[in-house]
Amino acid sequence: MRVTMTSAAARTGHANEDFAGAIPTAAVLIDGAGISGTESICRHGVAWYASRLGGSLLSLLSLVRDRSLSALLAEAIEQVTDGHRDTCDVADPISPSATVAILRLSDGLIEHLVLGDSVLVLDRADGAPLVVSDPREVIISRSYRSALEAAAEGSHEYHRVLRDLRANRNQPGGFWVAKDDPRAADEAITGSCPISELTGAVLLSNGASRIVDRLRLADWPGVMAVLASSGPAEIIHRVRQAEARHAVAADDATIAHCTDLGEA
């Protein structure tokens, strides 16, 4: 499998809280999440959490071939949580968390997992791309959108609303992300399909997938065509141009484009 990756921080001088990595048989993308005040809860920070989780997953994927992706994610969450449980308030609602996308080649199959609002797209040889996403956070966030838009970004009220929204995280009837509880991995969206049915795949953080779902610059067949012709950097370039044009706040944007799937 060949994996081409591009990642761009939201702005100069801002730590990139995304992570992407690959081994010959798997690719992982992590989109870290935190709000103002997270640093008072966790001395390591969101970027640390995302990179530790991604590194743990890649290690497990390379060493353990006979366990499900959900089980490996649960173990990785436990490992990272244990790594800062004694120094940080890992259970606090605003301690670092992350969304996850994983793709793995296994015995003629492509297995996939998505937890949170990262996106994974499978480019099928016959038919439209298959988009794998977890819409629960987006659905729940809609009821908070007007209050967030009415509050000044960074204000006390803005952060109060964000805290209320995040109280739905990792709760029945809410939305699920990687954080401190490995049981969240059981809520991931998972599936598989024969490698022979696919020509490629792509993992995107929500800062990159907005080219389709927020900025409406392209549809998924169009994105796959750009990836094939120009690579992931072109997708992020177009996103950044549109954000500047429409005064949309930028987000960390990361893409892992997987091709030559039959070659491990």
Side-chain angles (χ1 to χ4, degrees):
M1 179 173 68
R2 178 183 180 187
V3 183
T4 305
M5 295 180 285
T6 299
S7 187
R11 59 186 181 274
T12 303
H14 169 79
N16 190 335
E17 295 172 347
D18 287 353
F19 170 94
I23 59 174
T25 57
V28 169
L29 186 145
I30 309 293
D31 185 349
I35 62 175
S36 178
T38 297
E39 61 279 2
S40 68
I41 300 300
C42 174
R43 71 183 192 184
H44 302 96
V46 175
W48 176 90
Y49 183 88
S51 63
R52 279 297 185 96
L53 183 64
S56 292
L57 273 170
L58 288 174
S59 178
L60 289 167
L61 285 161
S62 67
L63 296 172
V64 183
R65 304 294 181 92
D66 59 349
R67 296 176 64 194
S68 70
L69 295 182
S70 295
L72 294 182
L73 175 57
E75 184 169 342
I77 292 171
E78 186 72 17
Q79 287 179 356
V80 179
T81 302
D82 285 346
H84 69 144
R85 192 188 304 275
D86 293 339
T87 58
C88 309
D89 188 355
V90 297
D92 190 282
I94 65 169
S95 69
S97 63
T99 69
V100 181
I102 308 171
L103 180 129
R104 177 171 68 178
L105 283 63
S106 178
D107 296 327
L109 295 176
I110 287 287
E111 299 175 309
H112 59 264
L113 176 150
V114 172
L115 181 67
D117 62 4
S118 292
V119 176
L120 190 149
V121 183
L122 302 174
D123 200 11
R124 294 184 286 194
D126 297 315
L130 175 63
V131 181
V132 182
S133 62
D134 180 352
R136 287 171 288 190
E137 182 175 0
V138 173
I139 292 170
I140 290 170
S141 295
R142 288 172 184 159
S143 61
Y144 294 85
R145 186 176 301 160
S146 59
L148 284 171
E149 291 174 348
E153 187 170 353
S155 67
H156 175 76
E157 177 62 12
Y158 184 86
H159 289 300
R160 184 195 66 78
V161 176
L162 271 183
R163 282 177 177 269
D164 287 348
L165 168 60
R166 294 196 173 195
N168 294 281
R169 185 171 54 185
N170 292 1
Q171 298 290 332
F175 60 93
W176 300 84
V177 294
K179 188 175 175 289
D180 61 301
D181 187 349
R183 291 174 296 182
D186 294 333
E187 301 293 332
I189 308 300
T190 61
S192 65
C193 66
I195 293 175
S196 59
E197 295 181 3
L198 304 177
T199 59
V202 62
L203 295 69
L204 308 97
S205 66
N206 69 345
S209 67
R210 61 173 52 182
I211 191 170
V212 173
D213 53 39
R214 181 173 179 181
L215 299 172
R216 312 291 183 188
L217 300 177
D219 57 13
W220 286 114
V223 168
M224 302 310 292
V226 172
L227 287 169
S229 64
S230 305
E234 177 61 20
I235 297 293
I236 295 178
H237 174 66
R238 296 186 186 189
V239 167
R240 292 291 186 251
Q241 283 187 319
E243 289 167 341
R245 192 163 56 243
H246 300 293
V248 174
D251 190 9
D252 300 332
T254 301
I255 299 174
H257 184 212
C258 307
T259 55
D260 301 332
L261 299 179
E263 302 176 15

